Amino acid sequence: MTAPNTKQRTNYYICHTPYHLYQCSLIAKQHFSTDLNIAIIEGNANTKDYSSFNKEIRLNYIGGSVFKTYSIIEDALKVIKQEISNHETNRIFLSDIAWPLCNRIFFEKKLSNCEFNLFSDGVAAYLNKKRTAQNIIRDISKNLLSKIRVTSKYCAFKGHALGYDHPKAKGFFLPNPNSINYSANNKHEVMLPSCATQPEKTKSKNLLFLDQPFWLIIKDNWPEIIKSTIEHIKAHYPEHNLFFKKHHRSREEENIAFMTHDFVELESDVCIEELVSERDYSVIISFYSSALLHLRWILSAETVIINLTNEELIKQLSINSEITELYKTNSITTITLNQRQS
């Protein structure tokens, strides 16, 4: 009989959002507490609790654009490879393989001896399941730009738009593992800690809006959608204290729009899943945010959670029936701006 391998493994979590960092801290705590866990953080994302990690490494923010200099990603990759070379048995955790830095790490030949695992929020597996013409054009563009060294090397790939079905992905970690149907993946549940308030506390008059960076997609019409959102909230919740939390890719224009209408901004470098316990909210609103789903799972049923939509968002985001049903099943009300849905 072969003796079990008891050697401690080293896990590297590549995080470029506050939620990534929070979720990876839960993965480390719930699944790999006896291993050496190292967070590699792109930008200024933070978490309230770093106790799950043995070490944190900070990288400059790179972002999701292909129009980055060659050196930015290559410098980050150099740091990562140097760190990984210090340990023999390594796992690497990525949010997907489409993000430029993640793609570079995943397909780097000198890291081929590492075990790759993917993690996800509760919505991405549904929202990005079908590869669109935009995905294909994006991959071709990134690949061509990388060949002329406008950006770092980028490898195009087939299948799921975020690479969730890639055979190199040995494990998958997310709050709702049943949303992944790929048998090749070893699925693991990440439990989001409950912070449900008592029913009487949800009678508070606090409303929270979670911004989304859809100006990247909607472009010229996004200011009008934000205007309609503010009008909707002010009309339907005139007695509420108003709060908003910007996305890590939000623009200053949206911040000004909300603050001009008496919204109070929350801390932005920590995810709302951690911040929500600091104040009682009776209403939480956003546009197709995974946070809506997470907050429904961790808050009391009395909290009203609303997903706003309109025809342009449905078209541009390729919203499918699975996402609509996901929100409905989890008691998240979907409202079309200027027209309440039944």
Side-chain angles (χ1 to χ4, degrees):
M1 179 180 294
T2 304
N5 182 7
T6 58
K7 182 183 293 187
Q8 183 187 54
R9 301 189 70 171
T10 304
N11 305 314
Y12 295 93
Y13 304 89
I14 313 300
C15 309
H16 56 263
T17 74
Y19 178 73
H20 287 173
L21 188 56
Y22 173 61
Q23 185 177 19
C24 286
S25 73
L26 297 178
I27 294 171
K29 182 181 297 184
Q30 295 172 14
H31 297 278
F32 304 105
S33 60
T34 60
D35 286 343
L36 185 65
N37 294 295
I38 299 175
I40 299 179
I41 308 163
E42 182 185 333
N44 64 348
N46 276 305
T47 179
K48 293 290 187 181
D49 183 6
Y50 283 91
S51 63
S52 297
F53 300 118
N54 301 93
K55 181 179 180 180
E56 302 94 47
I57 298 173
R58 289 280 174 180
L59 303 174
N60 291 327
Y61 183 71
I62 296 169
S65 172
V66 298
F67 298 103
K68 297 289 183 180
T69 62
Y70 180 87
S71 62
I72 293 177
I73 294 179
E74 292 304 311
D75 287 348
L77 184 65
K78 184 178 179 180
V79 171
I80 293 168
K81 288 195 294 186
Q82 178 59 47
E83 174 63 34
I84 290 177
S85 69
N86 296 327
H87 305 278
E88 293 182 8
T89 311
N90 302 298
R91 296 187 189 94
I92 298 178
F93 292 79
L94 304 171
S95 60
D96 60 80
I97 64 174
W99 191 260
L101 178 60
C102 294
N103 182 278
R104 188 70 179 89
I105 294 169
F106 190 77
F107 291 104
E108 169 58 35
K109 291 182 179 179
K110 291 184 179 180
L111 297 177
S112 60
N113 62 332
C114 297
E115 175 190 303
F116 285 95
N117 294 272
L118 300 177
F119 59 86
S120 177
D121 59 42
V123 173
Y126 293 96
L127 190 60
N128 300 285
K129 182 179 295 185
K130 185 177 180 181
R131 181 172 288 271
T132 64
Q134 185 178 8
N135 296 137
I136 297 171
I137 293 171
R138 176 202 66 189
D139 281 2
I140 293 174
S141 299
K142 288 181 178 180
N143 186 259
L144 290 175
L145 287 169
S146 73
K147 291 183 183 300
I148 58 175
R149 293 172 68 93
V150 172
T151 187
S152 178
K153 183 178 179 181
Y154 187 91
C155 292
F157 55 92
K158 299 179 179 180
H160 190 284
L162 297 181
Y164 291 169
D165 55 351
H166 197 285
K168 278 182 64 177
K170 300 304 181 185
F172 206 93
F173 296 78
L174 70 169
N176 50 341
N178 289 336
S179 65
I180 300 295
N181 299 319
Y182 313 118
S183 58
N185 290 123
N186 189 8
K187 298 179 287 186
H188 306 275
E189 184 174 11
V190 181
M191 298 294 295
L192 300 177
S194 174
C195 61
T197 58
Q198 296 299 317
E200 61 269 16
K201 288 188 177 181
T202 61
K203 295 180 181 179
S204 67
K205 293 289 186 178
N206 294 328
L207 180 148
L208 172 63
F209 178 78
L210 304 173
D211 191 22
Q212 287 279 66
F214 292 151
W215 61 271
L216 290 163
I217 302 171
I218 305 298
K219 300 187 183 303
D220 293 342
N221 290 340
W222 189 239
E224 185 60 34
I225 292 175
I226 290 295
K227 179 181 177 182
S228 297
T229 299
I230 293 172
E231 290 174 350
H232 174 89
I233 291 173
K234 299 284 275 190
H236 289 83
Y237 303 97
E239 298 181 0
H240 280 64
N241 306 309
L242 304 178
F243 299 85
F244 82 101
K245 185 180 186 303
K246 65 181 182 181
H247 190 274
H248 73 283
R249 300 176 80 181
S250 294
R251 300 182 302 180
E252 187 61 25
E253 290 93 317
E254 283 75 50
N255 293 359
I256 293 173
F258 285 107
M259 294 177 74
T260 301
H261 289 85
D262 303 320
F263 284 74
V264 176
E265 182 181 0
L266 300 187
E267 184 179 358
S268 61
D269 63 346
V270 176
C271 70
I272 190 58
E273 287 84 351
E274 289 192 273
L275 292 178
V276 74
S277 63
E278 297 179 359
R279 183 180 285 108
D280 297 317
Y281 298 102
S282 56
V283 182
I284 299 175
I285 301 175
S286 188
F287 293 99
Y288 294 104
S289 171
S290 57
L292 293 180
L293 193 60
H294 301 160
L295 294 175
R296 169 51 70 216
W297 292 334
I298 68 179
L299 294 175
S300 68
E302 286 76 14
T303 305
V304 176
I305 299 183
I306 296 172
N307 174 54
L308 292 181
T309 189
N310 70 6
E311 290 184 4
E312 188 168 12
L313 276 170
I314 292 172
K315 179 180 178 180
Q316 295 295 334
L317 295 176
S318 301
I319 299 300
N320 56 47
S321 59
E322 286 182 290
I323 298 175
T324 304
E325 188 62 28
L326 179 67
Y327 281 130
K328 183 178 180 180
T329 301
N330 285 276
S331 301
I332 297 173
T333 303
T334 294
I335 294 177
T336 300
L337 282 174
N338 300 321
Q339 179 182 353
R340 185 176 294 274
Q341 287 189 343
S342 59

Short mmCIF file of all heavy atoms in Angstrom, two decimals, residues 141-161:
data_model
loop_
_atom_site.label_atom_id
_atom_site.label_comp_id
_atom_site.label_asym_id
_atom_site.label_seq_id
_atom_site.Cartn_x
_atom_site.Cartn_y
_atom_site.Cartn_z
N SER A 141 -8.18 39.51 -30.94
CA SER A 141 -7.51 40.80 -30.81
C SER A 141 -6.37 40.74 -29.81
O SER A 141 -5.25 41.21 -30.07
CB SER A 141 -8.51 41.89 -30.39
OG SER A 141 -9.53 42.03 -31.35
N LYS A 142 -6.63 40.13 -28.65
CA LYS A 142 -5.60 40.02 -27.63
C LYS A 142 -4.43 39.18 -28.12
O LYS A 142 -3.26 39.50 -27.86
CB LYS A 142 -6.19 39.41 -26.36
CG LYS A 142 -7.13 40.33 -25.59
CD LYS A 142 -7.63 39.64 -24.34
CE LYS A 142 -8.54 40.56 -23.54
NZ LYS A 142 -9.05 39.92 -22.31
N ASN A 143 -4.75 38.11 -28.84
CA ASN A 143 -3.71 37.23 -29.34
C ASN A 143 -2.83 37.95 -30.36
O ASN A 143 -1.59 37.85 -30.32
CB ASN A 143 -4.34 35.98 -29.96
CG ASN A 143 -3.31 34.94 -30.38
OD1 ASN A 143 -2.98 34.83 -31.55
ND2 ASN A 143 -2.78 34.19 -29.42
N LEU A 144 -3.45 38.70 -31.28
CA LEU A 144 -2.69 39.43 -32.30
C LEU A 144 -1.85 40.53 -31.67
O LEU A 144 -0.68 40.72 -32.03
CB LEU A 144 -3.65 40.02 -33.33
CG LEU A 144 -4.36 39.01 -34.26
CD1 LEU A 144 -5.37 39.71 -35.14
CD2 LEU A 144 -3.34 38.26 -35.11
N LEU A 145 -2.43 41.26 -30.70
CA LEU A 145 -1.68 42.34 -30.04
C LEU A 145 -0.49 41.79 -29.27
O LEU A 145 0.57 42.43 -29.18
CB LEU A 145 -2.61 43.11 -29.11
CG LEU A 145 -3.63 44.02 -29.79
CD1 LEU A 145 -4.65 44.53 -28.79
CD2 LEU A 145 -2.93 45.20 -30.48
N SER A 146 -0.67 40.60 -28.71
CA SER A 146 0.44 40.00 -27.96
C SER A 146 1.59 39.61 -28.88
O SER A 146 2.75 39.65 -28.49
CB SER A 146 -0.05 38.78 -27.17
OG SER A 146 -0.30 37.68 -28.03
N LYS A 147 1.26 39.23 -30.11
CA LYS A 147 2.31 38.82 -31.05
C LYS A 147 3.21 39.98 -31.46
O LYS A 147 4.39 39.79 -31.79
CB LYS A 147 1.67 38.18 -32.29
CG LYS A 147 1.02 36.82 -32.02
CD LYS A 147 0.48 36.21 -33.29
CE LYS A 147 -0.23 34.89 -33.04
NZ LYS A 147 0.65 33.87 -32.44
N ILE A 148 2.66 41.20 -31.44
CA ILE A 148 3.48 42.37 -31.78
C ILE A 148 3.90 43.12 -30.52
O ILE A 148 4.33 44.26 -30.58
CB ILE A 148 2.73 43.31 -32.75
CG1 ILE A 148 1.40 43.79 -32.14
CG2 ILE A 148 2.48 42.63 -34.08
CD1 ILE A 148 0.69 44.82 -33.01
N ARG A 149 3.74 42.44 -29.38
CA ARG A 149 4.21 42.92 -28.07
C ARG A 149 3.59 44.24 -27.64
O ARG A 149 4.17 45.01 -26.88
CB ARG A 149 5.74 43.03 -28.08
CG ARG A 149 6.43 41.69 -28.19
CD ARG A 149 7.92 41.84 -28.40
NE ARG A 149 8.56 42.41 -27.21
CZ ARG A 149 9.12 41.68 -26.24
NH1 ARG A 149 9.09 40.36 -26.32
NH2 ARG A 149 9.71 42.25 -25.22
N VAL A 150 2.37 44.53 -28.16
CA VAL A 150 1.62 45.68 -27.64
C VAL A 150 1.17 45.36 -26.22
O VAL A 150 1.12 46.22 -25.35
CB VAL A 150 0.41 46.01 -28.54
CG1 VAL A 150 -0.48 47.06 -27.90
CG2 VAL A 150 0.90 46.48 -29.90
N THR A 151 0.83 44.09 -26.01
CA THR A 151 0.48 43.62 -24.68
C THR A 151 1.21 42.31 -24.42
O THR A 151 1.87 41.78 -25.31
CB THR A 151 -1.04 43.43 -24.53
OG1 THR A 151 -1.34 43.13 -23.16
CG2 THR A 151 -1.54 42.30 -25.40
N SER A 152 1.07 41.82 -23.22
CA SER A 152 1.72 40.57 -22.86
C SER A 152 1.12 39.42 -23.66
O SER A 152 0.04 39.54 -24.25
CB SER A 152 1.55 40.31 -21.36
OG SER A 152 2.13 39.11 -20.97
N LYS A 153 1.81 38.31 -23.67
CA LYS A 153 1.34 37.13 -24.39
C LYS A 153 -0.06 36.75 -23.93
O LYS A 153 -0.36 36.73 -22.74
CB LYS A 153 2.29 35.96 -24.15
CG LYS A 153 1.92 34.70 -24.91
CD LYS A 153 2.95 33.61 -24.65
CE LYS A 153 2.58 32.33 -25.40
NZ LYS A 153 3.56 31.25 -25.14
N TYR A 154 -0.94 36.46 -24.89
CA TYR A 154 -2.32 36.06 -24.58
C TYR A 154 -2.67 34.85 -25.43
O TYR A 154 -2.49 34.86 -26.65
CB TYR A 154 -3.31 37.19 -24.85
CG TYR A 154 -4.71 36.87 -24.40
CD1 TYR A 154 -5.14 37.21 -23.12
CD2 TYR A 154 -5.60 36.22 -25.25
CE1 TYR A 154 -6.43 36.90 -22.69
CE2 TYR A 154 -6.89 35.91 -24.82
CZ TYR A 154 -7.29 36.25 -23.55
OH TYR A 154 -8.56 35.93 -23.12
N CYS A 155 -3.17 33.80 -24.78
CA CYS A 155 -3.53 32.57 -25.49
C CYS A 155 -5.05 32.48 -25.63
O CYS A 155 -5.78 32.53 -24.63
CB CYS A 155 -3.02 31.35 -24.73
SG CYS A 155 -1.22 31.19 -24.74
N ALA A 156 -5.52 32.38 -26.86
CA ALA A 156 -6.94 32.18 -27.10
C ALA A 156 -7.31 30.75 -26.68
O ALA A 156 -6.47 29.86 -26.69
CB ALA A 156 -7.27 32.42 -28.56
N PHE A 157 -8.58 30.56 -26.31
CA PHE A 157 -9.03 29.23 -25.89
C PHE A 157 -10.47 29.02 -26.32
O PHE A 157 -11.20 29.96 -26.60
CB PHE A 157 -8.90 29.09 -24.36
CG PHE A 157 -9.63 30.15 -23.58
CD1 PHE A 157 -10.94 29.97 -23.16
CD2 PHE A 157 -8.99 31.35 -23.26
CE1 PHE A 157 -11.61 30.95 -22.46
CE2 PHE A 157 -9.66 32.34 -22.55
CZ PHE A 157 -10.98 32.15 -22.14
N LYS A 158 -10.88 27.78 -26.36
CA LYS A 158 -12.24 27.42 -26.79
C LYS A 158 -13.10 27.07 -25.58
O LYS A 158 -12.61 26.94 -24.47
CB LYS A 158 -12.19 26.26 -27.77
CG LYS A 158 -11.42 26.55 -29.05
CD LYS A 158 -11.40 25.34 -29.97
CE LYS A 158 -10.64 25.64 -31.26
NZ LYS A 158 -10.61 24.47 -32.17
N GLY A 159 -14.40 26.89 -25.84
CA GLY A 159 -15.30 26.46 -24.76
C GLY A 159 -15.92 27.62 -24.02
O GLY A 159 -16.20 28.67 -24.60
N HIS A 160 -16.15 27.44 -22.73
CA HIS A 160 -16.76 28.45 -21.89
C HIS A 160 -16.00 29.76 -22.00
O HIS A 160 -14.77 29.78 -22.07
CB HIS A 160 -16.77 27.96 -20.43
CG HIS A 160 -17.60 28.81 -19.51
ND1 HIS A 160 -17.18 30.03 -19.04
CD2 HIS A 160 -18.81 28.59 -18.94
CE1 HIS A 160 -18.10 30.54 -18.24
NE2 HIS A 160 -19.10 29.69 -18.17
N ALA A 161 -16.73 30.87 -22.03
CA ALA A 161 -16.12 32.18 -22.26
C ALA A 161 -15.07 32.56 -21.22
O ALA A 161 -14.19 33.37 -21.49
CB ALA A 161 -17.21 33.25 -22.31
#
